């Protein structure tokens, strides 16, 4: 009976260690994914949309595909008075994880985007031929997505 109790204790210890390992792996992967997303946005923002994007705290819930951003600022193009074209206190982006995984991370489908406490400053500038800040960003992006890095 004593050997059976010891085996049960060993099993419980192994099970708890395994669970702790899985949890640690999940949080490490989520942190790594958060870092990668934040790095990609801050690296390619000006190349893709022509203006800087600043992110506050970014968290990824890898199992559900939820991306949470506490603090987003999309800066204005040069020549406009206001600092930001758009800012939001919180952004929630819900990804279709099944599609993402089944495509081998090649196809990203966004199920929803929710912005909280949004400030959007539409501004016109004589320096840009009376175009708005939004017009300048949309012209930079262009009609195709050929600026998105592969």
């Amino acid at each position: 009976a004593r050997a059976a109790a010891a085996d049960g204790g060993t099993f419980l210890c192994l099970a708890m260690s395994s669970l702790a390992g899985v949890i640690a792996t999940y949080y490490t992967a989520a942190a790594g994914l958060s870092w990668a997303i934040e790095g990609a946005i801050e690296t390619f923002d000006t190349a893709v949309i022509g203006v800087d994007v600043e992110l506050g705290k970014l968290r990824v819930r890898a199992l559900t595909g939820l991306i949470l951003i506490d603090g987003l600022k999309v800066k204005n193009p040069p020549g406009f008075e206001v600092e930001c074209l758009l800012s939001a206190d919180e952004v929630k982006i819900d990804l279709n994880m099944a599609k993402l995984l089944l495509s081998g991370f090649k196809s990203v489908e966004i199920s929803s985007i929710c912005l909280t406490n949004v400030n959007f400053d539409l501004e016109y500038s004589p320096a840009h031929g009376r175009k708005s800040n939004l017009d300048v960003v949309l012209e930079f992006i262009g009609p195709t997505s050929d600026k998105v890095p592969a």
Side-chain angles (χ1 to χ4, degrees), residues 37-49:
I37 291 170
E38 187 173 352
I41 290 171
E42 291 179 352
T43 299
F44 298 114
D45 55 358
T46 54
V48 175
I49 67 170

Side-chain angles (χ1 to χ4, degrees), residues 5 14 27 29 35 67 69 95 133:
L14 287 173
Y27 282 108
W35 177 80
I67 299 171
I69 303 169
L95 302 178
N133 48 359

Side-chain angles (χ1 to χ4, degrees), residues 16 25 29 40 60 64 92-93 101-102 116 126 130 142:
M16 294 302 289
T25 301
V60 175
T64 61
K92 293 180 184 177
I93 303 169
L101 293 172
L102 291 173
T116 306
R130 309 265 323 137

Side-chain angles (χ1 to χ4, degrees), residues 2-34:
R2 191 166 229 183
D7 288 342
T10 303
F11 174 76
L12 181 59
C13 185
L14 287 173
M16 294 302 289
S17 294
S18 295
L19 180 59
V22 167
I23 291 170
T25 301
Y26 168 76
Y27 282 108
T28 301
L33 191 54
S34 296

